[in-house]
Amino acid sequence: MRSLTDTFTLKNKMGIPCIGYGTWKTPDGDTALSSVKAAIESGYRHIDTAAAYGNESSVGEGIIQSGIARDELFVTSKVWNTERGYDKTMKAFEKTCKDLKMDYLDMYLIHWPASQHQFENWEELNLSTWKAMTELYKAGKIKVIGVSNFMPHHLKALMETEVTPMVDQIEFHPGCMQDETVSYCKNNGIQVEAWSPLGNGRILEDFTLQEIAQKYGKSVAQLCIRWCLQHDILPLPKSVTPSRIRENAEVFDFILDENDMERIDSMGNFGGSGSHPDKIDF
Ligand code: NDP
């Protein structure tokens, strides 16, 4: 990857820009609007939002005000946990499009899997949500469909359907690598996206990461983003700070050598969010 417009190719041959701009916890209103605009001005062409972030209207407005043609952008949203099932997913999709002021989405994801911990019929619930996503995909209203926070046992049933997930967006950063899910996805042609590629800021003070970053004359944030890309995983860094938005895109002028990749890979678990898909209570 050499620039923000370079793409990973998904199993349906669609290209997806290699770094996405994250918007979780970005306050609705002026902050969301101006930071999305700043990201697009800095060259990002991939925006990641969700109904649950409560900022789709301002994200959509920022996109419009950027003046960039809709078809040059890749916009993702997600169906929230309370809207699972065929009918509710259809309605949630309509609302998201209305809020974003768009007539199609580049990608729509199931935000979290229904799990055994909360539902007896968890597999059926995931399948009925997926059925709605598949219909919207076949009708051309969504270009790419996928999931988020799905582990192999959640993905299994969906892999036997007519259109299988193209993307899985999971927590992935130094200190949280989810090896089993990543290798299942790679073996099944599912592109992995990294949420919290900077560990939501928690890992930026780590001494080892600082030492490695210094060697390349880069920040720890840039190191984490580059490390994701070199694992063929698509990072979604979030910032509302214009200088950081630009900094997080300046990751194409260095390459981490094999030793440093391995050093980061072997750091063990730290800095994770602790949100396990089978244990969450939301
Ligand atoms: P990140 O790992 O991207 O970290 C964001 C935090 O790091 C913010 O506090 C930000 O501060 C700070 N930061 C950003 N860049 C820098 C920098 N260069 N130097 C120092 N600090 C920096 O966090 P997120 O948890 O937001 O994850 C990224 C995106 O992934 C989300 O926004 C969302 O789109 C997606 N996501 C998806 C989830 C899912 O369940 N599917 C769950 C969580 C996230 P500031 O903004 O103040 O500059």
Side-chain angles (χ1 to χ4, degrees):
M1 299 294 164
R2 291 193 200 146
S3 78
L4 287 172
T5 50
D6 278 359
T7 55
F8 287 105
T9 303
L10 303 176
K11 61 164 84 155
N12 69 346
K13 310 290 177 224
M14 278 280 296
I16 180 169
C18 65
I19 296 181
Y21 174 70
T23 62
W24 180 41
K25 292 187 181 165
T26 298
D28 195 27
D30 282 350
T31 308
L33 194 159
S34 62
S35 57
V36 165
K37 246 176 93 181
I40 296 173
E41 274 159 19
S42 303
Y44 292 78
R45 290 295 176 266
H46 174 173
I47 312 287
D48 184 85
T49 186
Y53 302 166
N55 57 18
E56 286 179 316
S57 304
S58 314
V59 168
E61 195 54 43
I63 288 171
I64 290 167
Q65 289 192 19
S66 77
I68 293 287
R70 173 69 185 89
D71 63 3
E72 284 179 36
L73 294 168
F74 190 101
V75 181
T76 301
S77 189
K78 314 180 191 92
V79 58
W80 185 238
N81 303 352
T82 50
E83 312 307 312
R84 294 186 184 111
Y86 180 88
D87 292 335
K88 284 193 188 171
T89 298
M90 287 293 191
K91 283 194 192 121
F93 173 77
E94 288 299 318
K95 178 162 186 343
T96 276
C97 285
K98 191 165 168 255
D99 288 348
L100 283 167
K101 296 166 270 293
M102 289 175 185
D103 52 10
Y104 72 91
L105 285 187
D106 296 278
M107 183 155 81
Y108 202 39
L109 306 176
I110 304 180
H111 208 144
W112 289 86
S115 77
Q116 202 169 12
H117 160 72
Q118 287 175 310
F119 303 95
E120 248 178 58
N121 66 341
W122 63 279
E123 272 187 311
E124 274 165 52
L125 196 49
N126 287 330
L127 281 169
S128 64
T129 309
W130 189 247
K131 185 168 183 277
M133 312 269 292
T134 304
E135 280 184 22
L136 292 164
Y137 173 72
K138 285 165 86 178
K141 294 189 170 182
I142 310 170
K143 310 276 182 202
V144 175
I145 50 175
V147 295
S148 175
N149 299 301
F150 275 52
M151 298 169 81
H153 61 281
H154 306 115
L155 277 163
K156 214 166 147 250
L158 270 50
M159 293 311 291
E160 280 150 32
T161 60
E162 186 190 354
V163 182
T164 58
M166 298 156 196
V167 164
D168 192 1
Q169 181 178 124
I170 61 171
E171 181 172 7
F172 184 87
H173 52 76
C176 178
M177 295 186 68
Q178 303 211 46
D179 294 333
E180 217 184 302
T181 301
V182 169
S183 67
Y184 182 92
C185 287
K186 288 195 173 173
N187 291 334
N188 286 282
I190 300 170
Q191 175 66 48
V192 177
E193 290 189 340
W195 63 252
S196 290
L198 317 179
N200 199 247
R202 289 182 300 272
I203 61 174
L204 299 179
E205 303 299 318
D206 180 85
F207 182 72
T208 305
L209 294 177
Q210 284 184 345
E211 188 190 297
I212 300 172
Q214 225 167 33
K215 177 175 152 189
Y216 294 91
K218 289 287 175 177
S219 67
V220 174
Q222 290 168 323
L223 177 78
C224 294
I225 294 165
R226 181 75 210 177
W227 172 82
C228 288
L229 289 173
Q230 288 186 216
H231 273 300
D232 292 326
I233 290 179
L234 192 159
L236 302 166
K238 172 264 176 187
S239 175
V240 295
T241 314
S243 60
R244 290 173 172 175
I245 293 173
R246 287 191 296 276
E247 177 186 324
N248 295 346
E250 287 162 8
V251 295
F252 300 103
D253 56 355
F254 73 114
I255 297 173
L256 295 171
D257 67 32
E258 228 169 274
N259 281 346
D260 289 325
M261 286 297 288
E262 277 169 21
R263 203 169 157 210
I264 300 172
D265 292 354
S266 62
M267 285 175 76
N269 291 330
F270 69 100
S273 66
S275 299
H276 190 290
D278 283 330
K279 294 180 187 150
I280 55 161
D281 284 315
F282 47 84

